[in-house]
Amino acid sequence: MSDRNLTHETSIFSLWLNWVIAGGSLSLPILLSVYIPPLLIPIICLAFSGALVYYDRSSLRNHTAVCPLILTIAARSLFYSALIMVAISLIYSRGYIKYFYEAASLNNSIPFVTLLIIGPATLVTAAWSYVRGKRYRACQRCALVLGNVSERGFIGQIFSQEVRFQRFFMIAISAVLSIIAWTYYTLFYINVNINVPDKFFFGWIPMILYLVSIFYIGARCFTIWAYYYQDMDGSDRRQGASTTVRIIIISGNSFYLSRDDDEFNETPDGHMFDTPAAVTLPHQDKLSLERATLHFCNMSRLDESDFTLRYMYTSREATGGRNTFHYICCPKSEAVLKNSAFKGKWYNLSQVERLLHNHELTPLLAAEIHRLYTVTMAWKTYDAEGKRLYKVKHYHPIFRLDGICEWDVDFNSQQWLKVARLNEDKPFFRLRKFWRNLSAIKS
């Protein structure tokens, strides 16, 4: 078995491992809470939350992460739960709880029931991540470090779909546990001690559901592995490692696009628009500008004097077996392409925007244009620290690409992607930047 197959197996196994780690981190404090003093539980939750953040960040730095979503939801749920537990403990210790409940009905040795806090906290955190979608910070960080889903290949799309299912599964489990726990607490729980039925409902039911979920998610991951490795057109198992060179052709503010059909026309017929300049090569870790220029000359049958080529960025498939080098080509004039081997047409920005809105661009081209737009607008509006270049309120430069091959901006740098996410126009800019810098130091 090849190393590449082992890499894919490890990646698919990581889907299951992430669930085991995240679910275990949530379930273990709940089980321990029915056997140890409650005041120790916030400390355990904070320790588990910190460990999850460290594991997540180290995986992203090493590009071994499958998806940080489930780990982030678990880490945040534990952190929020710990804060709530500490707040409740302080209310008890200060005597403020007597303003809300009669002293005779209180038991200071059991200020809270852990499941009643972690269950709803997980439910709300997971549901919020669903509402935010791609804007959720974990998803933004994943795209920043690992790339867009379409740039991570076929198996990257499988990972994205499966993690979304795991989030739905986590929402369902936390909702069921919250309903069971609060129903039992309201109807049957006596605030004197934790007896055997209490231990079962508040400690063992979550652990039993967690163990069942391990086998269920494991079975799903095995099915994914079997599906990926069967002989099918969508699987790239037989193709092995490779490198793709993609070159976007831009002249002024227009893109040169083509479609993979027998007769080029402008009527929507299911075929997607893409750059005609793309070639797949044997795998290589680096590609010089000279080699990329040679490949473009071979594809287009143009001379080097007819165009200018500049490097944009590099993306990698989820398991690293394939990579793609993205370049920008600026022909001397639009008429140059009439003598090339390409068949296509020029589309201005408004037309490309309409194609993008109608989902008529290939996912990779859409990701490339998104990278172009994001970096360009960040570079034109802010400095590298996220501060506005123009002190005019609400002013934003117009998106233009004319002269892009001469711009002094690195499209491969994560810095401008970070600036686009966090800049002077965002609420609490300085506080959020300080917090993220502090988090980066800790991790």
Side-chain angles (χ1 to χ4, degrees):
M1 185 176 292
S2 68
D3 292 339
R4 176 171 167 75
N5 291 342
L6 289 173
T7 301
H8 280 145
E9 289 177 355
T10 302
S11 299
I12 295 174
F13 169 76
S14 296
L15 284 171
W16 176 78
L17 182 62
N18 279 2
W19 178 266
V20 172
I21 294 174
S25 299
L26 291 168
S27 302
L28 192 56
I30 295 174
L31 180 61
L32 292 176
S33 67
V34 298
Y35 293 104
I36 65 177
L39 294 179
L40 295 178
I41 301 302
I43 300 175
I44 295 175
C45 289
L46 288 175
F48 281 4
S49 178
L52 287 174
V53 170
Y54 177 80
Y55 175 76
D56 175 32
R57 296 290 176 85
S58 62
S59 298
L60 282 174
R61 282 196 301 268
N62 297 328
H63 290 264
T64 58
V66 172
C67 177
L69 181 60
I70 295 300
L71 296 174
T72 301
I73 291 174
R76 292 189 175 186
S77 300
L78 289 170
F79 180 75
Y80 299 148
S81 298
L83 292 183
I84 296 172
M85 294 174 193
V86 170
I88 293 175
S89 299
L90 289 176
I91 291 174
Y92 264 86
S93 63
R94 298 290 183 177
Y96 299 140
I97 191 66
K98 296 178 182 178
Y99 294 106
F100 303 96
Y101 299 96
E102 296 182 2
S105 64
L106 300 176
N107 185 350
N108 291 330
S109 63
I110 310 177
F112 55 81
V113 177
T114 302
L115 178 57
L116 299 181
I117 298 174
I118 293 183
T122 304
L123 174 60
V124 172
T125 304
W128 176 247
S129 74
Y130 172 78
V131 172
R132 293 289 292 174
K134 293 181 180 180
R135 295 173 296 171
Y136 194 59
R137 186 181 174 188
C139 298
Q140 291 182 333
R141 190 173 66 247
C142 179
L144 182 69
V145 178
L146 302 179
N148 187 281
V149 171
S150 59
E151 295 172 337
R152 300 178 67 198
F154 173 72
I155 197 169
Q157 297 178 23
I158 292 179
F159 292 162
S160 177
Q161 294 172 7
E162 180 61 16
V163 170
R164 288 199 296 269
F165 172 81
Q166 289 185 4
R167 176 177 58 190
F168 170 78
F169 197 42
M170 180 173 284
I171 291 175
I173 290 180
S174 57
V176 169
L177 287 176
S178 298
I179 293 172
I180 291 175
W182 277 99
T183 300
Y184 179 82
Y185 178 82
T186 303
L187 300 179
F188 303 105
Y189 177 65
I190 301 175
N191 192 21
V192 176
N193 56 20
I194 301 293
N195 55 33
V196 174
D198 298 338
K199 291 179 180 178
F200 177 74
F201 279 93
F202 293 145
W204 281 103
I205 284 184
M207 181 56 67
I208 291 172
L209 285 178
Y210 164 64
L211 294 175
V212 171
S213 73
I214 288 179
F215 289 100
Y216 178 70
I217 296 296
R220 282 185 62 90
C221 290
F222 177 80
T223 303
I224 291 172
W225 175 85
Y227 172 78
Y228 180 78
Y229 277 85
Q230 68 180 339
D231 189 8
M232 55 175 291
D233 293 337
S235 174
D236 59 359
R237 180 191 180 194
R238 294 179 178 268
Q239 299 176 20
S242 63
T243 291
T244 299
V245 181
R246 289 178 53 85
I247 303 172
I248 303 178
I249 306 173
I250 301 175
S251 178
N253 292 298
S254 299
F255 291 83
Y256 190 80
L257 305 178
S258 64
R259 287 195 291 185
D260 186 18
D261 49 7
D262 295 334
E263 184 177 352
F264 192 90
N265 57 75
E266 297 186 23
T267 304
D269 56 2
H271 295 279
M272 291 189 172
F273 291 85
D274 198 1
T275 176
V279 62
T280 300
L281 310 169
H283 186 271
Q284 45 197 290
D285 293 327
K286 297 180 180 180
L287 183 70
S288 66
L289 185 62
E290 291 74 17
R291 293 292 298 175
T293 301
L294 179 61
H295 288 307
F296 185 77
C297 289
N298 292 335
M299 285 186 285
S300 64
R301 298 176 190 170
L302 294 176
D303 189 80
E304 290 186 28
S305 60
D306 294 329
F307 61 88
T308 301
L309 200 68
R310 70 162 292 172
Y311 170 69
M312 187 158 67
Y313 70 102
T314 301
S315 61
R316 291 175 176 81
E317 185 221 38
T319 54
R322 297 184 183 184
N323 55 4
T324 301
F325 294 98
H326 306 262
Y327 286 83
I328 300 173
C329 172
C330 300
K332 299 303 181 182
S333 67
E334 293 185 1
V336 169
L337 273 295
K338 293 182 179 179
N339 301 321
S340 71
F342 298 140
K343 294 182 179 179
K345 290 185 179 181
W346 289 100
Y347 292 84
N348 59 37
L349 289 178
S350 61
Q351 292 173 318
V352 172
E353 183 181 5
R354 186 165 60 251
L355 293 174
L356 184 63
H357 177 75
N358 293 335
H359 304 286
E360 295 185 70
L361 303 181
T362 62
L364 264 179
L365 180 60
E368 290 166 340
I369 293 176
H370 176 74
R371 169 73 72 109
L372 274 177
Y373 178 82
T374 303
V375 174
T376 297
M377 295 306 293
W379 173 65
K380 286 187 174 183
T381 310
Y382 311 98
D383 63 16
E385 299 299 321
K387 298 180 180 179
R388 290 188 64 89
L389 297 175
Y390 309 96
K391 301 303 180 181
V392 181
K393 189 175 182 180
H394 303 308
Y395 170 76
H396 288 277
I398 298 175
F399 178 63
R400 291 289 184 267
L401 296 173
D402 193 19
I404 189 172
C405 285
E406 284 75 42
W407 289 356
D408 184 22
V409 58
D410 184 2
F411 286 97
N412 195 45
S413 173
Q414 293 184 8
Q415 181 62 34
W416 292 112
L417 298 177
K418 292 178 180 178
V419 169
R421 290 173 51 206
L422 181 60
N423 52 64
E424 199 171 15
D425 290 332
K426 303 294 183 181
F428 309 107
F429 164 62
R430 290 179 175 81
L431 179 61
R432 291 167 62 187
K433 187 173 182 179
F434 170 78
W435 179 257
R436 292 189 181 186
N437 290 338
L438 185 63
S439 300
I441 293 174
K442 288 183 178 179
S443 61

